[in-house]
Every structure is written in C-alpha cells, then in structure tokens.
C-alpha cells in the first residue's frame, strides 16, 4: 500500500504559476501509474493529468492542455504538477492518485481505475 501527500497549493492571482508536489511513502512509486484530479467548489471531481510508470507518456484534460505539465521522479518518489497561466476556473482541491491498472498507453485516465488517493491540496486563483 502507498500513502500519498500533496503539497504546494495556495492562493494566487490569475496568470500566476504554481507547482504541486505529491510525495509517496510505503511503496516505491514506480509500481504505479499516477494521476492528478481536482474538485472545484460544488462540483464533482474531474481528471486533470496522468503519467505512466516510467514517465514517458502523459495525458491531459483539454482544459489544462498547454498550461499544465505533469512529471515524476521515481528516485525521489514524487510526482509534480506544474501549473502555468492559472485561471479562476482552476480553483479546486487537487488530488494525486496512484493506480495499479495497466493500460496500453501507460497512463490511466479513469478515476475508478485509481486505487490510492491523497488528502488533497487547495488551489485558489483570484481574478
């Protein structure tokens, strides 16, 4: 079993950048495909970005494509989400998640295919 802890959230202005980090403990992160999800106020949780076990393939939601970048360092057991050109619509609680599912692409998009979740970190973007 792996434990995940997110950090790096905060209050920023539109156009700013923020980098979220997810630290894993308990098991080596290379065993898992990783993803980031977010839950805006009053809405359901939604997919943001995913990265394969090796880090060679990634996938993004259309709403963040070109602005967000997911990366991982398996030697440090961390997964990061670099968020640039932030918009008020990006305001949400952000969660990292780990999946034992194996897909042809290497990354995992479906929320139900993720086994482990962090507690989340709040990102608020003011206009």
């Amino acid at each position: 079993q792996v434990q995940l802890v997110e950090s790096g959230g905060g209050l920023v202005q539109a156009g700013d950048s923020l980098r979220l980090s997810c630290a894993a403990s308990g098991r080596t992160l290379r065993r898992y495909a990783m993803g980031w999800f977010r839950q805006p106020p009053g809405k359901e949780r939604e997919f943001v970005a995913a990265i394969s076990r090796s880090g060679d393939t990634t996938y993004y939601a259309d709403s963040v494509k070109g602005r967000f970048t997911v990366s991982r360092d398996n030697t440090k057991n961390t997964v990061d989400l670099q968020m640039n050109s932030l918009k008020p619509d990006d305001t949400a609680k952000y969660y990292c998640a780990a999946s034992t599912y194996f897909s042809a692409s290497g990354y995992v998009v479906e929320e139900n295919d993720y086994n482990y979740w962090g507690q989340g970190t709040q990102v608020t973007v003011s206009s």
Side-chain angles (χ1 to χ4, degrees):
Q1 187 166 337
V2 64
Q3 291 79 44
L4 305 172
V5 178
E6 303 94 337
S7 62
L11 172 63
V12 296
Q13 292 188 332
D16 285 351
S17 298
L18 208 56
R19 189 175 185 90
L20 304 183
S21 186
C22 175
S25 62
R27 284 197 167 180
T28 178
L29 207 57
R30 67 177 68 250
R31 299 169 61 102
Y32 305 95
M34 298 297 295
W36 285 93
F37 291 75
R38 67 186 182 186
Q39 186 166 19
K43 297 184 179 180
E44 294 189 350
R45 190 156 58 186
E46 62 186 25
F47 169 79
V48 175
I51 188 166
S52 62
R53 286 169 174 77
S54 64
D56 59 349
T57 58
T58 57
Y59 188 80
Y60 299 91
D62 287 343
S63 59
V64 306
K65 200 172 296 182
R67 300 188 298 122
F68 290 12
T69 303
V70 60
S71 61
R72 65 190 297 162
D73 187 336
N74 287 338
T75 64
K76 296 181 179 179
N77 258 14
T78 58
V79 178
D80 290 348
L81 184 68
Q82 177 67 41
M83 306 185 295
N84 298 329
S85 302
L86 283 162
K87 306 174 181 179
D89 283 350
D90 295 318
T91 294
K93 194 165 188 179
Y94 284 71
Y95 299 87
C96 75
S99 174
T100 58
Y101 184 73
F102 283 89
S103 70
S105 62
Y107 49 77
V108 178
V109 177
E110 293 299 324
E111 182 173 343
N112 289 339
D113 289 331
Y114 281 86
N115 309 91
Y116 305 102
W117 294 82
Q119 294 300 306
T121 185
Q122 180 67 37
V123 172
T124 303
V125 184
S126 63
S127 57

